[in-house]
Amino acid sequence: MADLLLREPTRGHDSAEGAAMLSETASRLGSEFSADPDRLELIMAVVAHCHRDLQGSPTGAMPELLERLARQRLLSSAGEN
């Protein structure tokens, strides 16, 4: 799963810092949504994609923006199933 986090450089953040932020966000959302390993991979992928979409956002706001956007996308995808 960690390789999902590092496939694309984390522009605007130190790579280690960016990877830690993505991992922490995915972990929090994972405990909120599901402990199922397949679901955790999806959550990691959604978080990584949201991070790419938020590039250019203020660095200090990134953790909160990332978690909110990923949560919304996960909730939306759950409603589609």
Side-chain angles (χ1 to χ4, degrees):
M1 282 187 253
D3 62 317
L4 287 173
L5 301 176
L6 299 175
R7 284 188 184 159
E8 184 170 313
T10 53
R11 295 178 302 256
H13 298 283
D14 172 78
S15 293
E17 178 186 322
M21 178 180 53
L22 295 177
S23 180
E24 290 166 9
T25 300
S27 178
R28 283 191 298 274
L29 292 172
S31 65
E32 184 177 330
F33 283 90
S34 174
D36 176 30
D38 291 333
R39 185 77 172 160
L40 290 175
E41 278 193 39
L42 171 66
I43 291 168
M44 299 271 295
V46 167
V47 169
H49 190 256
C50 289
H51 185 255
R52 285 190 297 273
D53 289 348
L54 289 169
Q55 291 305 312
S57 297
T59 302
M62 183 62 83
E64 182 176 351
L65 292 172
L66 177 61
E67 189 161 339
R68 286 178 180 226
L69 180 59
R71 180 178 288 111
Q72 186 57 47
R73 288 185 178 171
L74 289 165
L75 288 169
S76 293
S77 72
E80 292 174 3
N81 291 332

